[in-house]
Amino acid sequence: MKTVYVKEEVCIGCGLCEVYCRLEHSRSKDLIKSFKRESQQPMPLLRVERREPISFAVTCRHCAEPHCVYACITGALQRDRESGIVTVDGEKCIGCWTCILACPFGVIRQEKGKGKIAKCDLCLAKKIPACVDNCPNEALVYAEVQDETLS
Amino acid sequence: MVQSSHRFKYLIIGNSAGGIGAVEAIREVDRPGTLAVVSDEPYPAYSRPLIAEYLAERCPLERMLFRPSGFYERNKVVTFLGQKAARLDLDEHTLALESGEEIRWQKLLLATGGSPIVPPIKGAGRRGVFTFTTLDDAKAIDHYLDSQSRAVVIGGGLIGLSVTEALCRRGVAVTVIEMKERILNVMLDEAASAIEEELLRRAGIRIITGRTVAEISRGAEDAVTGVTLDDGTPIPCELVIVAIGVRPRLELVASTGIKINRGVIVDHYMATSHPDVYACGDVAEAYDIAYGECRLTPIWPNAYLGGRTAGFNMAGKMTKYPGGIAMNALNYFGLDAVSAGIVNPPDDSYEVLSQRYDSTYRKVILKKGQVVGLVFVGNIEKSGIICNLIRDKIRVADFKQALVAEDFGLSLLPRERWQPHLEVPPSALVQAAETEPAEELVAGE
Ligand SMILES: Cc1cc2nc3c(=O)[nH]c(=O)nc-3n(C[C@H](O)[C@H](O)[C@H](O)COP(=O)(O)OP(=O)(O)OC[C@H]3O[C@@H](n4cnc5c(N)ncnc54)[C@H](O)[C@@H]3O)c2cc1C
C-alpha cells in the first residue's frame, strides 16, 4: 500500500506538515479562516516529535495488522481491503478511546469537542497527501510498499 | 426430534465480537466455504458496550450495528438468529437448536461470551431486578423506568458504572453498592479509582463500598421498594441492577469432554482440546501477554482478535494468537482514563513508576525490566505507545523514567522503536513527491 514515510535526517521540525494537514481537513480550506475563524478548528492528524537534535513527523502507519481496527468496539474503524487506508466513520465513533490505547504510535487524536477520534486519512481525495506535498525539505515521502494483506 | 438438517463447513455460535472476527477472517481465506452463525439474540451483531447509549438516549439499533447492513449477505453467511443452541455432539459433528433443527459442521467456533453473574439475594429474580449485558436488558430497563425512578446498582465495575452513567443521564438517582473497598478495583489502581469516585459523586451518584445487598424488599403488586445492605442499612429504590460481572457461558460444552477451567481452555491457535472446535472471547481462557499465561480477559478487542485468529485456523491458515491484554478505556462524565495489563501488582516483585501533572495521572508497572501494566488519567493520547511496549515485551530498564515523563512520546524511546516503522523501507516504490508537488507549487504561485 501507499503511505507516508519520514526522513528523520532531513526533518527540521518546522511543523508545516501539521499546518497543511489542518488546512486540508478544515471546512473553508483557507489558511487564515480555518485557523482563526472556524469554530470547529481541525487538529493536525499527524504530529511532529521534537527532541533536540532529533525531529520527525509521526503519521498513521495504516498498519497491515491494525490494532486500532481490532480494538474498535463500535465498528467505526475499518481498513479498506483494497487501498489499505484505515478510516474512521464519524457517525459510528463514540469516542471511547479504546483505539488510542491500542495504537503503537500514539497518532490517533481525540476531538474532545465532538467526542470522537480524528485520524489520518491520507487526504483521500488528493493524489498526494497535504503533509507530503507541502514539506519544504522532502522529509516526508509518499511511497508504495507491497502488502500481501490487500486484495 | 430432528425437524430438519443443515450442513456447513464452518459453524459459529455467538454473533458478537468473537463471531464477527471469525467470519471476517474465514472470508479472507475461503470465499466459497459454507458458513453459518447461530445466536439466541435476535439482532444483527451490535456493539454490546453501546447498550449503555441505548439506555441513556435510546440510540437506534442502526447506530449500534457493529457492521453495515448487508454484511451477512456480502459474506455469504447463513444466520440462525433468535435461536438457541441446545446440544452439541462432538462425535457426530452436530449441533441441535432448541427449535429442533440440527446443524452439521466441520469446524465449530464457540463464541458464546459470558452470562451475568446473579448471586442468590433474597427477593431477586422477579420484577424490577435486571442484569445489563444485552440490548434486551437495556430495553427492559428503559421500559420499566419512569422519571422519578431511583436505582440501586450492585457492582462498581465496568458494567455497573456503564449502567450507572446511562441511568444518571436519564435523570435517575443511582446508588452504587460495591463489595470491595473501591469502585473499578480491577481495571484501575487506587489513585485512579479515587479520581473516578470523586467524579461520580460530584455527578450526584451515591457510592457505598465494602458492602453488599442482603435483601431486596417488595411492596404492593410485588414492586421493588428498596434494598437492605448487609449492615442493615435500608436504601429505598424502584429498581435494582445486578452488575457484578459475567462468567463464561459454558452450558453447551459442559458435558462434551472439552477441557475447561474457568473458561474453555484454548491453545495458541485458539483450538480447544477437540481438534475441530475452537473458542474465543469471553468464554475462552486465551493467552494474556502481560500475565504470560492463559486467563479470562473479557473485553471486546480480545474477543475480536481471538475470533479472527480462530477463523484463520479454521479455514486452514495456521495463525498464532498474538495474545491479548486486558485493556480498558473509560470516559465517564468527560474524564478520560485508560488502563492495560497488570494494574494492581500482587506483590513487591513489581516496580511502579508514577507521576501527576495538573489533571494528568500516569502510572507504569514493570516486572523484570519489562512493562506489564499502565494507568493513564487525563491526557491519554500517548497511552498506546506504552501499551504496545507490553505487547512487544520490550526491555525498558534503560529509559523507564521517560515512560511517565510529561512530554512522553516516540522520540523518548530508543531509535529502533520508531525508525524502522517510519522511514522509507528499501523495498519501497517512492512516488515522486519531488516532481509533482514541485510543479503544483509553481503552478499555484
Ligand atoms: C454494558 C457493557 C459494557 C461493556 N463495555 C466494554 C468496553 O467499553 N470495552 C470492552 O472492551 N469491552 C466492554 N464490554 C465487554 C464486551 O462487550 C465483551 O468482552 C464482548 O462482547 C465479548 O464478545 P464475545 O464475542 O466473546 O461474546 P458476547 O458479546 O457475549 O456474545 C456472545 C453471543 O453468543 C450468544 N450465545 C451464547 N450461548 C448461546 C447459545 N447456547 N445459543 C445461541 N446463542 C448463544 C449470546 O447470546 C451472545 O449474543 C462491555 C460489556 C457490557 C455488558
Side-chain angles (χ1 to χ4, degrees):
Chain A
M1 86 161 286
K2 229 187 221 170
T3 189
V4 177
Y5 294 92
V6 55
K7 288 185 184 158
E8 176 259 317
E9 66 282 8
V10 291
C11 171
I12 54 167
C14 68
L16 273 179
C17 50
E18 292 183 340
V19 171
Y20 281 92
C21 177
R22 271 180 69 168
L23 178 64
E24 178 60 27
H25 295 90
S26 69
R27 200 146 1 109
S28 62
K29 306 267 194 289
D30 177 288
L31 208 46
I32 311 274
K33 271 193 208 146
S34 69
F35 276 71
K36 296 224 172 204
R37 301 203 201 116
E38 281 183 22
S39 55
Q40 290 271 350
Q41 288 198 1
M43 51 193 353
L45 306 178
L46 82 174
R47 228 195 295 236
V48 178
E49 291 253 353
R50 299 177 182 88
R51 192 92 44 198
E52 288 280 313
I54 299 172
S55 65
F56 55 89
V58 187
T59 65
C60 173
R61 310 317 302 141
H62 299 275
C63 303
E65 288 292 330
H67 288 298
C68 59
V69 174
Y70 300 156
C72 179
I73 65 172
T74 66
L77 279 165
Q78 287 291 307
R79 184 170 195 251
D80 188 87
R81 293 268 289 138
E82 269 149 42
S83 69
I85 301 178
V86 175
T87 54
V88 60
D89 177 346
E91 290 285 300
K92 300 198 79 171
C93 176
I94 56 156
C96 74
W97 319 135
T98 311
C99 55
I100 287 181
L101 184 54
C103 173
F105 305 100
V107 291
I108 299 179
R109 308 297 312 263
Q110 294 175 286
E111 259 189 307
K112 291 227 180 175
K114 291 189 190 158
K116 295 179 187 303
I117 61 151
K119 73 172 293 302
C120 164
D121 56 4
L122 286 177
C123 296
L124 286 168
K126 300 193 80 179
K127 215 163 143 209
I128 293 181
C131 56
V132 177
D133 215 355
N134 292 285
C135 176
N137 250 14
E138 286 156 22
L140 288 171
V141 289
Y142 196 36
E144 170 111 47
V145 174
Q146 194 64 25
D147 181 344
E148 263 98 56
T149 62
L150 299 179
S151 56
Chain B
M1 186 189 58
V2 177
Q3 280 173 358
S4 64
S5 180
H6 309 269
R7 235 171 237 280
F8 294 97
K9 184 166 177 192
Y10 309 104
L11 178 63
I12 296 169
I13 311 175
N15 179 32
S16 187
I20 298 299
V23 166
E24 292 182 335
I26 290 170
R27 285 300 180 234
E28 279 181 33
V29 180
D30 180 359
R31 276 301 295 174
T34 52
L35 168 52
V37 174
V38 176
S39 174
D40 55 5
E41 290 192 79
Y43 312 104
Y46 63 89
S47 169
R48 194 165 302 290
L50 285 190
I51 65 173
E53 293 301 308
Y54 180 88
L55 182 57
E57 48 190 57
R58 300 206 181 94
C59 174
L61 179 63
E62 306 85 75
R63 281 195 34 220
M64 299 175 67
L65 294 185
F66 186 49
R67 290 295 179 253
S69 65
F71 173 83
Y72 299 97
E73 294 77 15
R74 257 200 315 287
N75 286 291
K76 289 198 268 173
V77 180
V78 175
T79 54
F80 295 84
L81 302 184
Q83 300 235 45
K84 190 168 175 192
R87 215 172 39 262
L88 190 58
D89 188 326
L90 296 181
D91 296 333
E92 297 293 321
H93 278 59
T94 57
L95 176 77
L97 303 182
E98 213 171 51
S99 63
E101 285 179 277
E102 187 183 85
I103 302 174
R104 287 185 172 278
W105 46 268
Q106 291 174 30
K107 299 279 177 191
L108 179 76
L109 175 64
L110 299 164
T112 52
S115 47
I117 300 169
V118 182
I121 301 171
K122 220 172 132 197
R126 293 201 305 266
R127 282 187 63 212
V129 180
F130 302 90
T131 53
F132 193 65
T133 63
T134 65
L135 179 53
D136 283 344
D137 287 339
K139 287 185 172 175
I141 297 169
D142 175 60
H143 210 72
Y144 195 82
L145 280 184
D146 65 49
S147 57
Q148 265 91 62
S149 299
R150 292 164 298 178
V152 163
V153 172
I154 307 177
L158 177 69
I159 298 178
L161 293 190
S162 296
V163 70
T164 296
E165 197 206 29
L167 287 170
C168 189
R169 280 159 69 187
R170 285 285 291 271
V172 174
V174 186
T175 304
V176 178
I177 314 291
E178 166 56 51
M179 187 168 70
K180 300 254 175 68
E181 65 289 349
R182 60 187 173 91
I183 58 166
L184 296 167
N185 53 64
V186 176
M187 77 177 58
L188 296 182
D189 67 340
E190 248 172 72
S193 279
I195 297 171
E196 289 286 349
E197 182 164 329
E198 172 61 23
L199 184 80
L200 296 180
R201 283 191 204 282
R202 263 189 281 137
I205 293 157
R206 185 173 171 202
I207 297 170
I208 300 174
T209 57
R211 290 277 155 249
T212 60
V213 169
E215 186 176 348
I216 297 169
S217 33
R218 295 182 180 270
E221 291 176 33
D222 214 24
V224 170
T225 54
V227 303
T228 308
L229 302 187
D230 54 355
D231 65 352
T233 310
I235 301 172
C237 66
E238 286 72 46
L239 70 158
V240 177
I241 317 252
V242 183
I244 291 171
V246 296
R247 69 160 67 88
R249 211 170 143 180
L250 295 167
E251 73 250 20
L252 274 176
V253 280
S255 57
T256 58
I258 284 177
K259 285 211 179 85
I260 53 178
N261 182 31
R262 288 173 67 203
V264 178
I265 296 173
V266 293
D267 64 13
H268 279 294
Y269 301 90
M270 305 306 287
T272 69
S273 57
H274 188 288
D276 295 326
V277 181
Y278 294 73
C280 67
D282 286 10
V283 76
E285 269 182 41
Y287 185 72
D288 182 296
I289 299 170
Y291 286 85
E293 61 187 34
C294 288
R295 63 201 308 272
L296 299 172
T297 41
I299 60 157
W300 187 276
N302 290 353
Y304 181 85
L305 191 56
R308 182 173 168 82
T309 307
F312 282 136
N313 288 309
M314 290 163 76
K317 182 181 172 187
M318 285 279 276
T319 306
K320 213 170 155 185
Y321 181 53
I325 300 173
M327 48 192 255
N328 282 288
L330 308 174
N331 62 353
Y332 300 125
F333 303 103
L335 178 75
D336 302 330
V338 297
S339 77
I342 301 172
V343 172
N344 294 298
D347 58 58
D348 56 14
S349 66
Y350 295 77
E351 183 180 352
V352 174
L353 308 166
S354 71
Q355 282 292 345
R356 272 177 199 265
Y357 315 93
D358 301 330
S359 57
T360 289
Y361 168 67
R362 291 202 182 139
K363 170 161 152 178
V364 174
I365 299 102
L366 311 181
K367 172 135 185 161
K368 295 191 182 126
Q370 294 180 1
V371 183
V372 294
L374 71 89
V375 182
F376 276 35
V377 181
N379 180 350
I380 57 144
E381 272 191 338
K382 303 282 180 70
S383 58
I385 300 174
I386 310 250
C387 189
N388 278 274
L389 295 174
I390 306 179
R391 190 174 280 135
D392 296 346
K393 295 186 179 297
I394 301 304
R395 298 205 68 81
V396 298
D398 297 341
F399 53 92
K400 61 188 182 190
Q401 286 306 334
L403 303 177
V404 290
E406 188 167 15
D407 59 347
F408 172 74
L410 277 183
S411 60
L412 274 181
L413 298 182
R415 189 170 274 274
E416 64 270 19
R417 280 301 294 166
W418 49 267
Q419 196 166 29
H421 301 282
L422 299 179
E423 75 176 8
V424 197
S427 67
L429 213 71
V430 176
Q431 166 143 354
E434 291 93 57
T435 55
E436 252 173 328
E439 275 166 23
E440 268 179 32
L441 260 178
V442 174
E445 269 159 10

